[in-house]
Amino acid sequence: MIFDTTLAKAPRAQKIKTTIEQVGHTRTDFYAWMKDENWQMVMQDPSILNPKIRIHLKAENAYCQTIMAETKQLQDTILSELKGRIKDNDGSVPTPDGPYVYANRYRSGDQHGLYYRKLRDDPAASEKILLDADALAKHAKKDNHPFFDIHNIGHSDDHKFIAYAVDLKGSERFEIHVIHIQTGKEICPPIKDTAGSFVWAKDSATLFWVARDENNRPSKVYRQNIMQKTEDPLLIYEEENPGFFVDIGRSDSGDYIEINCNDHTSSETRLIAADKPTNDPLCFKPRAKNVEYSLHDHGKKFYILTNENGATDFKIMQAAQTDPDPWQDFIPHKPGVLIIGMETYKNFLVRLERKNALPRIIIRNMQTGKEHTIEFDEAAYALGLMSGYEYDTPWLRFSYSSPTTPQQVFDYHMATGEKILRKSSEIPSGHEPSDYKVERITIKAKDGEMVPVTLIMQAGFNKNGKAPCLLYGYGSYGITISASFRSSILSLIDRGFIYAIAHIRGGMAKGYNWYTKGKLEKKQATFDDFIDVGTALCAQNYTKEGKIIAHGGSAGGLLVGVALNQAPSLFGGVIAAVPFVDVLNTMSDESLPLTPPEWPEWGNPLKDKGAYDTIAAYSPYDNVTGRNYPPVLITAGLTDPRVTYWEPAKWTAKLRDHQKGQAPILLKINMDAGHQGEAGRYDSLKQVAFEYAFALKAAGKV
């Protein structure tokens, strides 16, 4: 037995029968009591959690710690390795804006670091600290706030003020603070219950922000001249459809405030001139079902990234700012070439595309119409546009990495093609790319589709089927897991693991159609792809059945939860991080923050019997049956607004109740954090070390 389950008795959750009738179906839930009736307030004040639930969750944590106690030394060793790959006094490449450059850096031992600026044209200028996040975190901890995370920080156009959004609960309800840079003093009371997004108007006095409602949804936009002490916040937009979330930003040129609404498949933007902040927001184009668009202003035009008129992989259109109707094609739709994103500059338009699962950057000179491409030669790699503050610049900043190459940051002159390496991420403990090998393979799924897989392993890897494999996947919302450098995974690879990323349907590795082929009534294809990838890796002798550790988080937790039910013998263990596993109940609860916005992704089982049947057929919680399950590690956060704590808690109880074998079902719940776990750069590594120790133990490597 790999894990010694005789060390402690596993908690057995009380069963209280709850019967649910819905669209002609009846189902029974014995663990519904784990959802606190006052859950909205628990998100804001975890201390009020129902004592009965708290006792049970603490028992789960105690059991998990006892079973994993024999890996404590291994956890410490891995944690030391993870820390050794982080440059202690690291910092970002300074970003220019007018007379200054802005950046953040860490001092030795910092968890959160500090934000600063320096004069742009004076290399000898001393830095001005704008925000000492570590000092703020220590102060918050003294005030009984063990969680601390800065989500957003932004300076005013006149460079006199800085605002930042901080989460003190892990529930993603942020406070916005505004500071006078010269004095360091706050100029107004904290703005509470926000979604964390805010923008300044050009007058450097008016602040716009998005507020959360009682169900934690970002649904309201407020405006306030924060220099006027007597002025109250003014509600300027409220989204009445609970299926749409609201965000706010500044346009590429900075000339517009943008209020963006979306529900995963449809979007709508309202505009306010940034130099006329008291104007009412004007809708650019009303939302239409399954039509997405985003605006990028340039000169007297808007360039519009959209899927309108069947442009599945998106195209770029143009419209006059003064008369936005009609839109005209500018860069046409090319099936199979997905436009991921775009930016405009005074003389250039930049777009990030993905073709054949690899990204590339296309730069268009808006004066000549000529285009050129930035791409790289490795078998698998990741590119990212790194937006700056300045619009009138010939310089583009982008990032590059691959599974064996740590992140590099380049400044690229869009007119001349000059490329300057501004930063190569250092691995203080040492890293030699030639010690590792990357492969990009494709496997045939059961329905004939070809699924890309990225593999990284030791350079001298021998395909004899003996190596354990950490198989990672996500497969929802169109999110594509990039082939980027992940220093943490080296702790497994150096111990003989293969790391595999399955680019399954539900993501967009092969274009937007790859996403639509893995959602709603076609969702089973996502799970089939993941299982088929694992089976193929065994057939090709990369690993063997029972040596695969499945790993996924959030919707990726749904993925591994389904795979656990449908192919339990394939896996030697499962790591499900904050897993979305109680799909049928969650998608039937309209009060939860993400439920209405996610009906386009999963279906609405409250009204649609077909959606009910589809979800019921795969929902991990609803398909647990008596069988030999491998070891399972489940993580959760008490204040998580995305995957509420009771989902993984209920799933744990049901799995354990139906476990026919001896392998442990473990739940590790952070009682002081939410979806992202610990926020500090070192504290967050403790969870990674814990998960990797579990993987090594489950694979029989310790």
Side-chain angles (χ1 to χ4, degrees):
M1 185 166 54
I2 295 174
F3 289 88
D4 186 358
T5 53
T6 66
L7 294 172
K9 186 177 181 180
R12 289 289 176 179
Q14 181 183 5
K15 288 185 173 182
I16 301 175
K17 187 175 181 179
T18 299
T19 302
I20 304 163
E21 295 184 358
Q22 193 171 325
V23 292
H25 291 283
T26 300
R27 66 183 186 275
T28 300
D29 189 346
F30 287 101
Y31 301 112
W33 63 267
M34 292 188 188
K35 175 185 175 182
D36 195 301
E37 293 180 357
N38 198 23
W39 65 266
Q40 292 97 332
M41 294 306 299
V42 171
M43 296 288 171
Q44 301 179 52
D45 183 4
S47 68
I48 68 172
L49 179 69
N50 183 309
K52 178 182 176 181
I53 300 172
R54 183 177 296 277
I55 289 170
H56 175 72
L57 297 181
K58 285 187 173 182
E60 289 284 10
N61 274 342
Y63 175 68
C64 181
Q65 291 297 333
T66 300
I67 298 300
M68 288 291 290
E70 58 186 342
T71 70
K72 183 62 171 65
Q73 185 175 348
L74 177 61
Q75 293 175 46
D76 292 342
T77 300
I78 295 174
L79 180 60
S80 179
E81 293 171 3
L82 300 179
K83 288 181 176 179
R85 299 190 191 109
I86 295 178
K87 186 178 178 182
D88 199 34
N89 59 344
D90 202 6
S92 66
V93 179
T95 302
D97 186 21
Y100 301 102
V101 292
Y102 290 81
N104 68 281
R105 66 176 177 84
Y106 294 91
R107 296 156 298 199
S108 180
D110 272 2
Q111 292 272 16
H112 305 276
L114 57 82
Y115 299 83
Y116 70 93
R117 76 179 182 197
K118 296 175 67 174
L119 287 172
R120 181 176 189 165
D121 298 323
D122 183 0
S126 59
E127 66 180 34
K128 168 69 174 178
I129 295 177
L130 306 175
L131 197 68
D132 187 334
D134 255 63
L136 290 172
K138 291 173 184 176
H139 182 74
K141 194 169 185 177
K142 289 180 180 179
D143 287 343
N144 201 31
H145 294 298
F147 185 88
F148 181 91
D149 181 40
I150 290 182
H151 168 74
N152 191 12
I153 183 168
H155 59 271
S156 58
D157 288 37
D158 64 4
H159 304 276
K160 292 182 179 180
F161 308 99
I162 193 160
Y164 69 94
V166 61
D167 181 3
L168 298 174
K169 297 287 193 306
S171 59
E172 301 178 36
R173 294 183 82 95
F174 296 87
E175 292 183 1
I176 297 174
H177 296 254
V178 184
I179 296 172
H180 193 294
I181 291 176
Q182 185 174 357
T183 66
K185 295 182 178 180
E186 296 201 30
I187 63 172
C188 64
I191 303 168
K192 298 182 180 294
D193 296 326
T194 82
S197 65
F198 62 83
V199 292
W200 292 92
K202 283 190 174 183
D203 63 5
S204 297
T206 304
L207 196 70
F208 294 81
W209 69 88
V210 178
R212 291 192 181 275
D213 63 18
E214 61 277 3
N215 287 329
N216 220 40
R217 295 188 183 114
S219 60
K220 300 177 181 179
V221 178
Y222 285 90
R223 181 191 76 220
Q224 184 179 12
N225 185 322
I226 56 176
M227 305 304 164
Q228 300 293 331
K229 305 298 183 183
T230 59
E231 183 175 308
D232 292 328
L234 180 67
L235 177 65
I236 63 167
Y237 177 74
E238 181 172 6
E239 177 56 58
E240 296 181 354
N241 185 338
F244 278 73
F245 277 10
V246 178
D247 194 13
I248 194 166
R250 284 275 288 270
S251 65
D252 290 357
S253 73
D255 287 343
Y256 292 94
I257 308 291
E258 297 181 344
I259 299 173
N260 301 303
C261 309
N262 72 84
D263 72 342
H264 291 301
T265 61
S266 307
S267 62
E268 180 180 81
T269 297
R270 285 172 167 77
L271 299 168
I272 302 170
D275 60 354
K276 298 175 182 176
T278 59
N279 283 6
D280 292 333
L282 297 178
C283 182
F284 181 74
K285 187 170 186 176
R287 66 192 66 171
K289 187 176 181 180
N290 296 326
V291 175
E292 300 178 66
Y293 71 87
S294 63
L295 302 179
H296 304 267
D297 58 333
H298 182 274
K300 296 181 179 180
K301 293 182 178 180
F302 281 114
Y303 290 88
I304 307 146
L305 180 60
T306 182
N307 63 348
E308 189 175 63
N309 295 328
T312 304
D313 287 315
F314 286 76
K315 61 181 176 180
I316 298 175
M317 304 184 76
Q318 61 181 335
Q321 293 183 16
T322 55
D323 185 15
D325 191 28
W327 298 358
Q328 296 177 331
D329 282 352
F330 182 68
I331 295 175
H333 175 236
K334 298 177 184 176
V337 180
L338 177 68
I339 303 178
I340 305 169
M342 64 173 287
E343 296 177 351
T344 54
Y345 295 85
K346 184 177 180 180
N347 295 311
F348 301 93
L349 185 150
V350 180
R351 66 187 189 271
L352 180 63
E353 296 182 345
R354 184 183 297 116
K355 182 180 180 181
N356 295 327
L358 288 177
R360 63 187 184 185
I361 296 171
I362 314 292
I363 297 171
R364 183 184 186 95
N365 187 312
M366 296 297 280
Q367 295 176 327
T368 66
K370 293 183 178 180
E371 294 187 347
H372 66 278
T373 302
I374 305 173
E375 53 190 338
F376 293 81
D377 296 328
E378 290 195 68
Y381 60 86
L383 289 176
L385 299 178
M386 304 179 72
S387 301
Y389 298 115
E390 296 188 320
Y391 176 71
D392 186 2
T393 176
W395 291 99
L396 169 72
R397 181 167 292 174
F398 70 90
S399 64
Y400 168 83
S401 74
S402 78
T404 59
T405 306
Q407 187 188 65
Q408 298 173 325
V409 177
F410 293 93
D411 279 348
Y412 182 87
H413 197 285
M414 293 181 279
T416 67
E418 180 185 3
K419 185 168 62 177
I420 302 173
L421 177 62
R422 297 298 306 273
K423 179 183 178 181
S424 287
S425 295
E426 298 179 33
I427 308 297
S429 59
H431 173 68
E432 179 52 59
S434 62
D435 290 342
Y436 305 95
K437 178 171 66 171
V438 177
E439 293 183 11
R440 173 62 68 86
I441 65 172
T442 57
I443 67 97
K444 180 180 280 190
K446 62 178 59 178
D447 62 358
E449 289 278 9
M450 302 304 294
V451 182
V453 184
T454 300
L455 300 169
I456 179 170
M457 62 207 79
Q458 292 176 333
F461 175 74
N462 183 15
K463 286 175 63 173
N464 57 15
K466 295 182 179 180
C469 172
L470 190 76
L471 178 58
Y472 185 84
Y474 191 79
S476 294
Y477 307 116
I479 293 173
T480 300
I481 305 301
S482 63
S484 58
F485 184 76
R486 296 167 173 83
S487 65
S488 61
I489 199 63
L490 299 180
S491 288
L492 291 184
I493 296 172
D494 289 345
R495 290 174 170 85
F497 264 75
I498 303 170
Y499 179 54
I501 304 173
H503 302 288
I504 53 183
R505 278 172 279 187
M508 286 195 278
K510 295 178 68 174
Y512 198 88
N513 273 333
W514 200 240
Y515 166 44
T516 60
K517 289 178 178 179
K519 63 181 294 192
L520 295 172
E521 72 279 359
K522 301 175 183 177
K523 192 62 195 172
Q524 182 59 41
T526 299
F527 316 128
D528 289 342
D529 285 356
F530 189 75
I531 294 168
D532 290 343
V533 167
T535 302
L537 291 177
C538 296
Q540 295 181 34
N541 253 8
Y542 284 99
T543 186
K544 68 178 180 180
E545 188 175 279
K547 284 282 191 179
I548 298 175
I549 310 299
H551 187 199
S554 196
L558 160 68
L559 171 71
V560 300
V562 174
L564 176 66
N565 284 331
Q566 296 184 1
S569 63
L570 181 62
F571 304 106
V574 169
I575 302 171
V578 288
F580 173 42
V581 285
D582 193 11
V583 187
L584 194 54
N585 282 321
T586 292
M587 285 297 103
S588 300
D589 187 345
E590 296 180 85
S591 72
L592 294 174
L594 295 181
T595 293
E598 297 203 353
W599 283 330
E601 180 77 17
W602 313 102
N604 183 350
L606 287 171
K607 298 180 178 179
D608 184 344
K609 187 178 183 301
Y612 185 104
D613 292 340
T614 297
I615 295 171
Y618 66 72
S619 175
Y621 181 66
D622 296 285
N623 286 278
V624 173
T625 59
R627 65 184 70 189
N628 285 331
Y629 285 107
V632 181
L633 173 62
I634 302 163
T635 67
L638 180 60
T639 57
D640 187 346
R642 298 173 183 265
V643 177
T644 48
Y645 74 84
W646 57 85
E647 285 202 43
K650 289 168 58 179
W651 187 46
T652 301
K654 194 170 184 179
L655 280 171
R656 189 177 294 134
D657 190 49
H658 288 78
Q659 171 66 293
K660 297 298 184 184
Q662 298 300 311
I665 310 296
L666 304 177
L667 173 63
K668 184 176 187 291
I669 180 165
N670 192 320
M671 303 296 282
D672 297 312
H675 197 64
Q676 306 301 332
E678 297 285 354
R681 64 168 177 160
Y682 292 128
D683 285 346
S684 63
L685 298 177
K686 296 175 184 177
Q687 181 69 27
V688 178
F690 192 91
E691 292 177 359
Y692 285 1
F694 173 88
L696 286 160
K697 185 72 172 171
K701 297 292 285 186
V702 292

